[in-house]
Amino acid sequence: MDDIAVPHGWKGMDDFAPGIDGNRAARTGVLAGTTLDVDDGGRLHLEFVSADRLRWSSEQGSGDDDWYEAIEVRPGVFFLTLTFAAEPLRAAVLVVDVPRGRTLTVESHIAAGPTPGRPRVSQLFRPGTVAGTRTLGTPAAPTRDLIGLRALYRYSPEHLYEHIYLSSERYAWQCLVGAQRGHGDVDLASTWSLGDNLYVFTFREFLIPVAATWLYDLTAMRTTGVFFGLGASGAAQCAPGGALITALGRVTYPEEQPI
């Protein structure tokens, strides 16, 4: 793997990720033995052969056997993490709302090399449906709902972060407790609404090759997510995360609004 230099004094993924899943919901094996067809502009067939292995195939003819992880965030709402052995620089999160027949896929890709001024990990978003079922509500869509919110994220006793949602494209963070204490930055971010107080929030860091995808349940005030990026060895890796959310407040803009 080529240059993955971390700025002097900065912490990389291997430094902050251990233990950041202390408040994560437990994984589930309830999908083992079931199948799922997703239509998000192309048909994807998933066969869950065990609690952590699946067979997938697309209508374009690609397919493989790969690792996955499932967390049932609410009854019938799943946060699925998928990795691809044949494409180690690619990972995906598939959020499936079975009762409403809605899905949102977030694909993360690590570029072969760094580009100055741009995050090395990019993300693509594909709203879709559970094929063959009746859909309820509206499709997942970008939202401005989080703009102005300021909140704490307690991932574990050793991991506490603050987020400030600045605009539809950026958020600010700082570490209050943990290996990154004193560090903070403004990174690119995206927020999608799934309805019923469920949001997919993602970010892409400028300084290190890491992105993350989170499912916020703002009724339960809990988040489930996964980091995807390059570790110190230069290999791509996924690191699970999960936090309890404490809202600190919200600002509103009287006239001109953030983008």
Side-chain angles (χ1 to χ4, degrees), residues 14-232:
D14 300 276
D15 299 304
F16 69 77
I20 205 166
D21 58 347
N23 284 326
R24 198 172 199 242
R27 66 184 62 179
T28 178
V30 70
L31 295 179
T34 70
T35 62
L36 175 69
D37 288 282
V38 174
D39 187 351
D40 59 4
R43 185 66 68 92
L44 176 67
H45 176 72
L46 302 174
E47 179 183 358
F48 301 95
V49 298
S50 71
D52 62 2
R53 302 294 302 180
L54 61 73
R55 296 190 184 99
W56 62 272
S57 59
S58 72
E59 65 180 359
Q60 291 80 19
S62 57
D64 210 342
D65 292 2
D66 280 303
W67 174 88
Y68 82 98
E69 179 194 60
I71 292 178
E72 191 168 13
V73 176
R74 289 183 183 175
V77 178
F78 294 92
F79 182 93
L80 304 177
T81 303
L82 292 76
T83 59
F84 305 93
E87 299 175 84
L89 299 184
R90 171 191 174 209
V93 167
L94 172 62
V95 177
V96 184
D97 185 338
V98 175
R100 297 197 308 146
R102 302 287 186 184
T103 68
L104 178 63
T105 301
V106 182
E107 277 207 8
S108 298
H109 297 261
I110 303 173
T115 300
R118 294 178 57 184
R120 185 158 171 180
V121 187
S122 60
Q123 293 177 315
L124 299 173
F125 302 84
R126 296 197 306 271
T129 61
V130 178
T133 66
R134 187 181 68 162
T135 56
L136 300 174
T138 57
T143 180
R144 300 172 58 85
D145 287 1
L146 298 189
I147 295 175
L149 176 65
R150 186 171 189 162
L152 294 177
Y153 293 79
R154 172 65 78 176
Y155 299 90
S156 81
E158 293 78 34
H159 297 82
L160 179 64
Y161 287 74
E162 179 183 4
H163 291 186
I164 303 171
Y165 300 91
L166 301 174
S167 72
S168 60
E169 296 182 353
R170 295 176 189 268
Y171 90 117
W173 63 270
Q174 66 169 331
C175 177
L176 302 178
V177 175
Q180 291 181 302
R181 175 171 168 74
H183 290 186
D185 206 353
V186 174
D187 287 311
L188 294 183
S190 302
T191 307
W192 287 63
S193 173
L194 305 181
D196 199 20
N197 244 2
L198 287 174
Y199 296 90
V200 167
F201 172 75
T202 77
F203 64 76
R204 302 164 291 281
E205 297 209 9
F206 283 102
L207 294 181
I208 58 177
V210 173
T213 301
W214 302 92
L215 179 57
Y216 288 4
D217 182 341
L218 294 188
T219 298
M221 295 300 279
R222 188 167 196 167
T223 179
T224 301
V226 64
F227 299 89
F228 179 60
L230 297 178

